[in-house]
Amino acid sequence: MKGRAQVIIGAQWGDEGKGRVVDFLGKNVDIFARYQGGANAGHTVIVEGSKYVFHLLPSGMLYPCKVCIIGNGVVIDPEQLIYELRMLQDQGKDRARLVVSGAAHVVMPYHKLLDQAHENFRGRGKKIGTTGRGIGPCYVDKYNRMGIRMEDLLDPDLLREKLSSNLDLKNLQLTRIFNIEPMAFDEVYKKALEWGKILEPYIADASLILNEALNSGKNVLFEGAQGTLLDVDHGTYPFVTSSNPVSAGACIGMGVAPTIIDSVTGVVKAYSTRVGSGPFPTEDEGEIGEYLREKGGEYGATTGRPRRCGWLDLVALSYAVRLNGMDNIALTKLDVLTGLEEIKVCTGYMLNDEVLGSFPTNVNLLEKVTPLFKTMKGWTEDLGACRKFEDLPEAARNYIEFIEEATRVSIGLIGVGPQREETIIREI
Ligand code: IMP
């Protein structure tokens, strides 16, 4: 009998608390699979009082006897991966077995230089605000059919050939376009060979392993990085990342068929945040934004940048429900709203005196919309001890039910505090 294939995605601009939800659901999962993005992500998990931030490793690494897979759709910075693995090994916490797809692309040192150089080139007001981790340039090489894949690190001759033709071009770009020092072939080649030696035990045919495991009854959880509105096709382009965080990305990025997916859970933060540039209709640049940032600890897990904050946006969320085919929602950080007299939630957008029927995919329009807010009553009671929906204050229950009505998706999990156990489960 086939095992259960569950996809967890971010429904906003990333940082919804996916790592925490994945970790909570992990008990019934045999395999954790990451399918896109790279070290631009930052998954924070708090277990037994200790905080772990993973950029590349799937959040399931802290579970004993599980398998964690990094799929072909991920772009891997081997230095970062080795660092995260060693950190866990040093603490005796490398409890899961790791598999890395041989077809995943390698983020090379020149990708990081080019990422930063491109950002500087874009100039004021045009910057995307990337994490500088080389993500865009690595995906460019992948689609330009010149990228280096993890399996190439295991073949010194092929690696020499591929790296040499790559570096010839990259050094021209670095020196002639961006006025940056070129990279020495020998140094990069030596490093890449070392990465291959260290990571060889993990590199395998991830799609085959995953499909066989599913067919033998193992339960798989696909964990998306970033969020729907950062999707390169469906997000607020060009202020997006270079991969597909939407649920369909799981199939391409892991080598599984769409027909095997059983459910999609969208992780939604009880308010909105965004790092980097781009339109954000419900952003609050005043007191409320500051309150959410400080109370919610809204600083980037990867870059430490303060996140832009604002109210929950149901227009954007309904768009994310449609794109991902969400079966249910996991609502995180509800406790951050505690203490606010009033809570606003965006129920529509106005553009040129008209109410828009759906989320505009054109950022030039999105930049011009005015959000329409419904104001709801807040609550002051501490939520940390609530374990059932009925334990929540009435105002909090109303807020949740309002989101469910607007999106027509039920909220099966509610985060009421940062610890694993500070969670209400309804159905998921
Ligand atoms: P890149 O993915 O580094 O190219 O950055 C592109 C955009 O995606 C920037 O606005 C980043 O701030 C944003 N971004 C990338 N990864 C994350 C994430 O994990 N959480 C939130 N925003 C992200």
Side-chain angles (χ1 to χ4, degrees):
M1 197 189 68
K2 179 181 120 4
R4 182 155 187 241
Q6 200 178 356
V7 183
I8 310 279
I9 53 93
Q12 294 153 309
W13 279 285
D15 309 318
E16 296 90 352
K18 294 178 289 294
R20 152 80 193 284
V21 175
V22 168
D23 175 67
F24 188 85
L25 298 177
K27 293 184 286 290
N28 306 318
V29 167
D30 302 297
I31 298 180
F32 295 83
R34 247 200 87 175
Y35 58 85
Q36 46 71 230
N40 48 353
H43 290 183
T44 308
V45 183
I46 299 173
V47 179
E48 293 149 15
S50 306
K51 182 171 159 179
Y52 301 86
V53 181
F54 297 140
H55 296 285
L56 274 168
L57 287 176
S59 320
M61 282 303 285
L62 291 165
Y63 269 104
C65 311
K66 308 269 176 179
V67 178
C68 285
I69 302 187
I70 300 181
N72 58 279
V74 176
V75 288
I76 299 177
D77 173 354
E79 216 145 67
Q80 178 66 31
L81 181 60
I82 292 165
Y83 170 80
E84 289 179 23
L85 271 171
R86 293 217 163 126
M87 177 191 71
L88 281 188
Q89 281 160 357
D90 288 350
Q91 297 178 21
K93 296 273 169 66
D94 57 328
R95 296 158 166 170
R97 176 184 152 216
L98 179 69
V99 174
V100 177
S101 166
H105 280 248
V106 182
V107 178
M108 299 297 289
Y110 46 79
H111 290 136
K112 293 186 212 170
L113 285 183
L114 285 169
D115 191 358
Q116 285 146 22
H118 272 280
E119 276 287 85
N120 293 336
F121 189 74
R122 281 185 191 107
R124 268 167 67 87
K126 299 245 167 32
K127 289 192 199 310
I128 289 166
T130 72
T131 57
R133 298 297 175 104
I135 306 300
C138 183
Y139 279 113
V140 166
D141 281 358
K142 169 176 172 171
Y143 288 100
N144 205 14
R145 294 148 300 174
M146 58 191 292
I148 293 176
R149 311 204 312 179
M150 291 303 287
E151 60 202 10
D152 301 334
L153 299 179
L154 310 181
D155 182 337
D157 293 336
L158 181 69
L159 180 64
R160 174 182 289 280
E161 193 188 308
K162 279 192 150 189
L163 182 61
S164 140
S165 65
N166 263 286
L167 256 191
D168 284 349
L169 181 65
K170 300 304 184 217
N171 277 339
L172 280 178
Q173 286 176 319
L174 289 173
T175 54
R176 302 234 183 134
I177 301 177
F178 296 116
N179 213 11
I180 296 176
E181 289 292 306
M183 296 198 117
F185 173 84
D186 287 345
E187 236 170 76
V188 183
Y189 182 60
K190 196 169 144 232
K191 227 186 226 181
L193 283 177
E194 263 168 43
W195 293 336
K197 276 202 194 107
I198 299 172
L199 294 174
E200 186 167 12
Y202 307 101
I203 299 174
D205 184 340
S207 162
L208 181 68
I209 291 173
L210 190 66
N211 280 283
E212 282 183 352
L214 260 175
N215 290 337
S216 67
K218 302 280 189 232
N219 295 330
V220 179
L221 193 151
F222 296 85
E223 50 175 299
Q226 288 85 41
T228 302
L229 300 169
L230 288 175
D231 187 279
V232 68
D233 286 275
H234 303 287
T236 51
Y237 191 90
F239 302 104
V240 292
T241 191
S242 301
S243 63
N244 290 110
V246 293
S247 57
C251 298
I252 306 284
M254 194 56 68
V256 295
T259 43
I260 64 114
I261 306 293
D262 294 300
S263 73
V264 177
T265 296
V267 184
V268 179
K269 188 147 53 184
Y271 49 96
S272 304
T273 61
R274 169 162 211 173
V275 207
S277 330
F280 180 1
T282 64
E283 179 171 19
D284 187 304
E285 293 183 86
E287 256 175 50
I288 291 293
E290 189 58 32
Y291 177 92
L292 294 171
R293 183 158 41 251
E294 291 314 312
K295 189 144 182 231
E298 297 296 351
Y299 292 87
T302 302
T303 57
R305 288 179 288 180
R307 295 179 183 143
R308 300 157 64 193
C309 298
W311 298 114
L312 182 64
D313 183 341
L314 293 178
V315 183
L317 183 54
S318 299
Y319 175 61
V321 166
R322 161 157 62 93
L323 284 174
N324 292 290
M326 264 180 236
D327 298 296
N328 51 55
I329 286 174
L331 188 74
T332 59
K333 289 190 150 181
L334 186 64
D335 53 300
V336 173
L337 298 181
T338 301
L340 289 169
E341 220 166 283
E342 287 184 336
I343 294 170
K344 289 190 184 175
V345 51
C346 170
T347 54
Y349 291 160
M350 287 289 286
L351 182 68
N352 304 328
D353 297 329
E354 271 180 47
V355 179
L356 293 185
S358 59
F359 184 81
T361 54
N362 178 337
V363 277
N364 299 319
L365 295 182
L366 188 62
E367 245 149 25
K368 296 193 187 93
V369 303
T370 311
L372 299 169
F373 286 112
K374 174 181 166 71
T375 302
M376 302 188 72
K377 216 168 143 245
W379 60 88
T380 52
E381 296 90 330
D382 183 38
L383 308 186
C386 298
R387 292 293 174 271
K388 294 194 300 290
F389 184 68
E390 296 70 36
D391 296 341
L392 289 170
E394 188 186 357
R397 293 200 307 269
N398 288 343
Y399 184 60
I400 287 167
E401 281 167 356
F402 187 73
I403 300 169
E404 290 184 315
E405 274 162 38
T407 56
R408 292 195 224 117
V409 181
S410 50
I411 297 180
L413 182 153
I414 303 158
V416 291
Q419 300 296 332
R420 221 182 219 181
E421 61 280 5
E422 288 175 316
T423 306
I424 296 173
I425 288 288
R426 290 163 86 200
E427 66 189 58
I428 207 153

